[in-house]
Amino acid sequence: DAGVIQSPRHEVTEMGQEVTLRCKPISGHDYLFWYRQTMMRGLELLIYFNNNVPIDDSGMPEDRFSAKMPNASFSTLKIQPSEPRDSAVYFCASTRRGPTGGYTFGSGTRLTVV
Amino acid sequence: GENVEQHPSTLSVQEGDSAVIKCTYSDSASNYFPWYKQELGKRPQLIIDIRSNVGEKKDQRIAVTLNKTAKHFSLHITETQPEDSAVYFCAARKDDKIIFGKGTRLHILP
């Protein structure tokens, strides 16, 4: 298995532009999570899906952020309009419910908004 | 919701010595406690985990302990090596969500 795949690895955009981050979970994993990592706030859970359905989006910072999971193998996190304070590394992770419990993280997308 | 506190934020130990990182959690319903290691510029990777029905677990130089009554758990690394230098995150899972501590930056000194 190729693991959790995220794209792009790096994104630099101007303030006000729309940004779309992409994630492909591990096949067979029915949970998908989006995290944001910054030095100040650490790893913050933004939203998670179970069987493609959003379960908890309480961590989404504001209406500028939205996430979708149209099918079991693809999810997007969109920021519109982007702001400099959105600069961070965004990780996607997936897991399968069961005794194992841990997540597998993707390589992350480093977003810089200038 | 769950809140995970982690200490210290930075830890420097001499190569060969032991390192201990401590965490507390707030929700007594949390039942799974993973630890992740993140090297510079890379993704967090699971290194060890413990379930709430177990008090201690060991894997070579790494061990975790859990005190459910006090709601705290710890990571112990013995005989530290240069490749142990990284940021370590503790976490607590309740239902389907894993909440992370803020991380501990571990420096192994030569």
Side-chain angles (χ1 to χ4, degrees), chain A residues 4 31 33 35 37 40-43 45 48 56 91 97-103 105-107, chain B residues 32 34 36 38 41-46 49 51 89 93 95-102 105:
Chain A
V4 177
Y31 285 85
F33 303 81
Y35 281 85
Q37 186 176 34
M40 292 299 296
R41 302 172 72 93
L43 275 163
L45 177 62
Y48 78 94
D56 186 342
F91 285 103
R97 174 169 249 175
T100 306
Y103 297 173
F105 281 84
S107 296
Chain B
Y32 172 73
Y36 286 79
Q38 187 178 28
K42 297 192 175 179
R43 75 191 78 188
Q45 293 197 297
L46 180 69
D49 55 15
R51 302 200 160 272
F89 293 93
R93 174 173 173 166
D95 299 327
D96 301 320
K97 285 167 55 169
I98 291 182
I99 303 300
F100 288 85
K102 290 282 192 291
R105 185 171 297 277

Side-chain angles (χ1 to χ4, degrees), chain B residues 1 29 81 101:
Chain B
Q81 300 171 3

Side-chain angles (χ1 to χ4, degrees), chain A residues 1-6 23-27 29 94 104-107, chain B residues 43:
Chain A
D1 198 321
V4 177
I5 300 173
Q6 290 187 246
C23 176
K24 176 178 167 45
I26 291 173
S27 177
H29 282 191
S94 70
T104 301
F105 281 84
S107 296
Chain B
R43 75 191 78 188

